[in-house]
Amino acid sequence: MWWWDARVTTLFKRNLQPTLTYWSVFFSFGLCIAFLGPTLLDLRCQTQSSLSQITWVFFSQQFCLLIGSCLGGIFKRTLAHSLLALFASSLAISVVFAIIPLCHNVVVLAVVMAMAGLAMGCIDTLSNMQLVKIYQKDSAVFLQALHFFVGFGALLSPLIADPFLSDTNCILSNSTANSSSNLPHIRKSLVPHHLGNLSHYDLPTKGLVVTRVSYAFWIMALINLPVPIAVFLLLYKERLVPCCQKNSPPLLPADELAMETRIANRDDSSTSSSKLQSELGHDDLFGCCQSKNFRGAPCSYFAVHVTGALLLFMTDGILGEYSGFVYSYAVEEPLSVGHKMAGYLPSLFWGFITLGRLISIPVSYRMKPATMVFINVVGVLITFFLLLIFSSSVVFLFVGTASLGLFLSSTFPSVLAYTEDILQYKGCATTVLVTGAGIGEMVLQLLVGSIIHDLGSYSFLVCGTIFGALAFVFYIFLLFFHRMHPHPQSDMDLSPDKPPPMVEPGLYQS
């Protein structure tokens, strides 16, 4: 790859299988996170439930995803635990896809989706942790690629489901004719646990169920099946499968053996730093909050964790609320965009998020994470200001939606890489940041939905502008706490925004 130097290329080749495995697991995460919205009305028919009841399935998935993100760090203590948890989680997603067509009760469906949420939360935390652990100072570019795969999975999932979605009401009854024409609008307006102005639609709950959505879930189960197989193969390669643990580890090639020798010859300070990392490293959220992890740590240690989490609380919250409500905003006055044209807005938004993550892979190798975060938050804020100024322009709504997708695309991996770099990979940044992002996505979506319901559609852009401004403020605080945070003696000659000298990260060890 022409934009990498030889050292990073060698490092990537040495960790090729684990890196590709974590990327594939995150593809599984994206596949699972995006299928529920488009298929929700067909699942309502399958379970013969009301619109308000089926939206609780959204909530159960999101809430358990948050819990899974908090608890995922429990499994990081050894490589075996991490890979076994990833294997179980990715396999659980295939099982969930396969059994969703068999769930004919909304409560059973909510429980199944809660299991999927727990699996997704573990994947979210552990995949980020393991890539950071492997590449450390070089992790930014690999984190960008990781989040490209979740975007790719999120784009693919609705495309698989679309041919099997019902064009008319999938419960045939006397009132079907009256509600069928509203289905496209209802489908695109559904937001997790927020009905907004859809509550007055009277969709039938009794009658003959006619839906083919089961085929979409079975196809996605098959597409996802290679992912747990890939994790199992990595377990086998690392001799971590229980029946293979007694075997001797594989021999290293000559170039890797030379690199092992260089690592072994490092000074004692590197060894002590590694020990400190294992002691203070990435725990689950509750383990991170134990007082022993803060003994002797400077105030900036705690402040960097909190500020990074608040920054992602805002940016991921913007991502969730904008994708959830941009369609509803477009079809309301003053824009009054047609339902079909407005339906392209969420797809445009996610398309440019995926494109932005792809572009960020080479860019992040040449640009510092702090600089990328600055460009992201300033770009988001400026875009919202322009959306407010040109609020009556349909064309600029589409341009602004694409712009927001680009600027938000690389925010999470850039903030994660920057925060881990500040803390020298000795804190709980991954767990805290993943949890903060998850809470923000859920809370701000509910908050904006309530505000739009009470104050009207224009408040949608006002809320986005306020959240963007708060994200910028938290970024400034993060820079400030970075300057306050003590650095190792070898890094004292560097400015806070400049990455330390490149070192060989530790090998991928069990």
Side-chain angles (χ1 to χ4, degrees), residues 410-452:
S410 60
T411 305
F412 184 94
S414 298
V415 173
L416 178 58
Y418 180 42
T419 308
E420 287 282 13
D421 192 38
I422 295 172
L423 298 172
Q424 297 293 307
Y425 311 93
K426 302 185 183 87
C428 301
T430 301
T431 303
V432 174
L433 266 59
V434 168
T435 304
I439 295 174
E441 190 168 351
M442 186 168 65
V443 170
L444 293 192
Q445 205 168 67
L446 293 171
L447 177 63
V448 171
S450 301
I451 293 173
I452 290 175

Side-chain angles (χ1 to χ4, degrees), residues 4 26 43 86 89 196 198 206 214 218 282 294 299 303 310 321 329 352 363 371 378 411 426 438 446 456 493 509-510:
W4 285 2
F26 234 54
L43 292 175
L86 287 175
S89 298
L198 302 179
K206 301 296 180 183
S214 300
W218 289 329
H282 306 82
F294 298 101
C299 295
L310 287 173
E321 61 93 6
Y329 168 74
F352 270 83
V363 171
T371 306
V378 171
T411 305
K426 302 185 183 87
L446 293 171
D493 57 326
Q509 298 172 344
S510 59

Side-chain angles (χ1 to χ4, degrees), residues 186-250:
I186 297 172
R187 194 186 304 280
K188 293 165 185 172
S189 300
L190 277 172
V191 178
H193 201 55
H194 180 79
L195 290 179
N197 59 356
L198 302 179
S199 55
H200 65 277
Y201 287 108
D202 184 22
L203 297 178
T205 58
K206 301 296 180 183
L208 179 63
V209 176
V210 183
T211 177
R212 299 182 302 140
V213 77
S214 300
Y215 297 109
F217 291 117
W218 289 329
I219 290 172
M220 285 189 280
L222 288 174
I223 290 175
N224 186 70
L225 198 55
V227 176
I229 294 174
V231 180
F232 180 81
L233 291 176
L234 182 58
L235 276 164
Y236 183 80
K237 179 199 171 191
E238 297 295 329
R239 303 294 191 261
L240 297 175
V241 179
C243 60
C244 303
Q245 285 185 345
K246 294 182 180 180
N247 295 344
S248 58

Side-chain angles (χ1 to χ4, degrees), residues 84-343:
L84 286 170
L86 287 175
F87 172 74
S89 298
S90 55
L91 183 61
I93 288 177
S94 277
V95 172
V96 165
F97 280 139
I99 65 176
I100 281 176
L102 307 178
C103 299
H104 298 287
N105 181 281
V106 69
V107 176
V108 175
L109 181 61
V111 171
V112 169
M113 291 311 304
M115 292 171 53
L118 288 172
M120 293 160 63
C122 286
I123 287 173
D124 195 9
T125 300
L126 289 174
S127 297
N128 281 290
M129 279 184 179
Q130 290 301 323
L131 275 184
V132 168
K133 189 178 294 185
I134 293 173
Y135 292 104
Q136 295 196 8
K137 297 291 183 183
D138 299 304
S139 62
V141 63
F142 300 99
L143 289 173
Q144 297 290 352
L146 181 75
H147 287 263
F148 163 75
F149 278 96
V150 72
F152 179 63
L155 270 183
L156 186 62
S157 185
L159 294 177
I160 296 170
D162 187 67
F164 303 100
L165 300 179
S166 301
D167 294 325
T168 59
N169 200 314
C170 43
I171 296 182
L172 301 181
S173 68
N174 294 333
S175 60
T176 298
N178 296 328
S179 56
S180 295
S181 61
N182 295 315
L183 281 182
H185 170 65
I186 297 172
R187 194 186 304 280
K188 293 165 185 172
S189 300
L190 277 172
V191 178
H193 201 55
H194 180 79
L195 290 179
N197 59 356
L198 302 179
S199 55
H200 65 277
Y201 287 108
D202 184 22
L203 297 178
T205 58
K206 301 296 180 183
L208 179 63
V209 176
V210 183
T211 177
R212 299 182 302 140
V213 77
S214 300
Y215 297 109
F217 291 117
W218 289 329
I219 290 172
M220 285 189 280
L222 288 174
I223 290 175
N224 186 70
L225 198 55
V227 176
I229 294 174
V231 180
F232 180 81
L233 291 176
L234 182 58
L235 276 164
Y236 183 80
K237 179 199 171 191
E238 297 295 329
R239 303 294 191 261
L240 297 175
V241 179
C243 60
C244 303
Q245 285 185 345
K246 294 182 180 180
N247 295 344
S248 58
L251 296 175
L252 291 173
D255 59 337
E256 296 186 19
L257 184 60
M259 192 171 291
E260 276 277 18
T261 305
R262 288 199 302 272
I263 293 172
N265 291 334
R266 285 181 187 169
D267 57 11
D268 294 337
S269 65
S270 175
T271 305
S272 62
S273 174
S274 176
K275 290 179 180 178
L276 183 59
Q277 179 179 337
S278 64
E279 292 172 4
L280 292 178
H282 306 82
D283 263 320
D284 63 287
L285 184 65
F286 305 105
C288 285
C289 295
Q290 293 177 2
S291 59
K292 67 179 182 180
N293 287 334
F294 298 101
R295 278 190 209 128
C299 295
S300 57
Y301 174 84
F302 178 76
V304 167
H305 281 88
V306 173
T307 311
L310 287 173
L311 174 54
L312 286 180
F313 179 94
M314 290 300 164
T315 55
D316 267 50
I318 292 171
L319 191 150
E321 61 93 6
Y322 194 88
S323 63
F325 292 104
V326 65
Y327 171 85
S328 300
Y329 168 74
V331 297
E332 298 289 336
E333 293 183 354
L335 293 175
S336 300
V337 179
H339 295 323
K340 186 173 182 179
M341 181 176 286

